[in-house]
Amino acid sequence: MGLEKSYLSGVSDITPDYNPYEAGLQFLIDWKKGDFQGAQALDDVKSKGVAQKLACLALEEPLVVFGGEAIFSGGKAITQTTSGNFGYSVDKSLVLGYLPTEFVDQNDFEVEAFGERSKAHLINGAAYDPQRQKILC
């Protein structure tokens, strides 16, 4: 259910390879905290912008997905998924992946898993309970 609620995994979705702005977690940065390690790097990212953003895609055809699958746009591989699974409450396969920023406003995607491809579309917010009214523990 975590993927359906867009709860991120610290093992695959959030790693040192990504920054809070790319992961959509910039609201967690406490700038009033004062000088902290990495503050200058985060300030640089904030002013320059990011090259990629984490996005959730829902697949039209159910595929077995775990993370590491290729994401295509316009027939070209653009990135790979960080995590994936079947969302039983939404009855769709879901994946997370960092899309290059020039693709975040598009909706022409395919995901390939085990030699099969499925069309995929962006999910804004969470696939299940996007208003976050139901808390999962």
Side-chain angles (χ1 to χ4, degrees):
M1 188 76 168
L3 195 60
E4 296 159 278
K5 294 278 289 174
S6 288
Y7 291 171
L8 306 182
S9 166
V11 176
S12 57
D13 303 320
I14 310 168
T15 71
D17 297 326
Y18 312 112
N19 65 61
Y21 290 100
E22 293 171 328
L25 298 174
Q26 63 274 12
F27 64 94
L28 296 173
I29 302 169
D30 184 3
W31 291 104
K32 296 180 216 154
K33 184 179 186 177
D35 193 29
F36 57 91
Q37 187 174 359
Q40 183 60 52
L42 286 174
D43 193 42
D44 291 346
V45 170
K46 182 180 180 181
S47 63
K48 292 177 184 170
V50 296
Q52 59 187 358
K53 288 191 175 191
L54 186 63
C56 182
L57 300 173
L59 282 58
E60 289 183 11
E61 299 295 324
L63 295 179
V64 177
V65 288
F66 299 105
E69 296 84 17
I71 299 176
F72 294 83
S73 181
K76 295 173 76 174
I78 58 168
T79 191
Q80 66 182 24
T81 65
T82 56
S83 60
N85 211 330
F86 189 78
Y88 290 95
S89 62
V90 294
D91 199 33
K92 292 184 183 297
S93 294
L94 302 170
V95 296
L96 291 175
Y98 285 86
L99 298 176
T101 52
E102 62 264 25
F103 293 96
V104 296
D105 293 326
Q106 296 183 24
N107 226 344
D108 175 31
F109 299 103
E110 288 183 310
V111 173
E112 183 175 318
F114 300 103
E116 294 185 42
R117 284 194 192 184
S118 172
K119 289 188 178 205
H121 63 275
L122 281 170
I123 299 286
N124 291 321
Y128 176 79
D129 185 32
Q131 287 76 35
R132 298 185 179 244
Q133 295 176 348
K134 300 176 182 177
I135 302 297
L136 298 178
C137 297

